[in-house]
Amino acid sequence: SLETVAEEAAAAEAGAGAVSGPGASGLGAEAGVDASRPYDVIIFNAALQFFPDTRLALLTASRLLCRGAHARLVIAHMQGAGFVRQEKEENPTVVRALMPGLTELQDIGRDLGMSVAVPSFLGSDPESIATGMEDFYLAVMMWERLEEEKPCSDSEDS
């Protein structure tokens, strides 16, 4: 729910700029992330499956993302969701989660105020998209509403 996401966001912000909490390991100051400056794009490239809580990982990343029209969260895995599922079966200690299905990703996006786009070559109906994502996973999340503008880096010093 949106209240749960808000509570998780408040908890994530409670550490003086460091992003922490279960599932957020690797997204905080200990990983060299500067939480004081928003990012234009955050890419999970063959990485999302290493976070135990997909929702919290995306929530935490979204808090580091600028609120501009071109801001993006990119979730990709060149070998697809099927590979991650097999990898998790073989090594569940390292692979903590599966790649989210389109419906799950849309639910997370809705809670964050983000929409989800997938490339047209994956298909247009949910079944063909799910089939396509088995071999090549690519989804992009972007802000739906920009009520709270947080400038992107191109408007600051690039």
Side-chain angles (χ1 to χ4, degrees):
S1 76
L2 195 50
E3 287 126 12
T4 303
V5 170
E7 289 169 9
E8 290 171 350
E13 284 185 346
V19 181
S20 61
S25 178
L27 287 177
E30 72 278 1
V33 172
D34 178 2
S36 68
R37 180 174 176 198
Y39 291 85
D40 302 328
V41 177
I42 297 173
I43 301 171
F44 289 91
N45 185 24
L48 190 60
Q49 71 269 26
F50 301 117
F51 295 89
D53 185 333
T54 300
R55 179 178 292 273
L56 184 57
L58 293 173
L59 162 71
T60 304
S62 75
R63 302 294 292 178
L64 297 171
L65 195 64
C66 72
R67 299 282 302 183
H70 299 289
R72 302 288 186 263
L73 280 179
V74 179
I75 303 144
H77 199 295
M78 287 193 58
Q79 293 176 298
F83 175 84
V84 172
R85 190 171 28 265
Q86 179 181 351
E87 189 180 34
K88 183 168 175 45
E89 288 171 12
E90 294 170 1
N91 198 351
T93 304
V94 174
V95 179
R96 313 281 303 278
L98 299 175
M99 300 303 286
L102 182 60
T103 302
E104 180 183 359
L105 205 52
Q106 289 170 327
D107 289 345
I108 293 169
R110 193 171 11 266
D111 288 346
L112 298 177
M114 302 181 93
S115 60
V116 177
V118 295
S120 60
F121 62 77
L122 289 176
S124 57
D125 63 281
E127 187 176 315
S128 61
I129 292 169
T131 300
M133 288 179 129
E134 283 295 301
D135 296 320
F136 182 82
Y137 191 101
L138 180 59
V140 179
M141 300 176 78
M142 62 213 84
W143 298 115
E144 287 184 340
R145 302 173 297 277
L146 295 174
E147 296 125 12
E148 311 163 20
E149 274 293 323
K150 196 191 290 184
C152 291
S153 63
D154 61 354
S155 63
E156 289 180 8
D157 60 359
S158 335

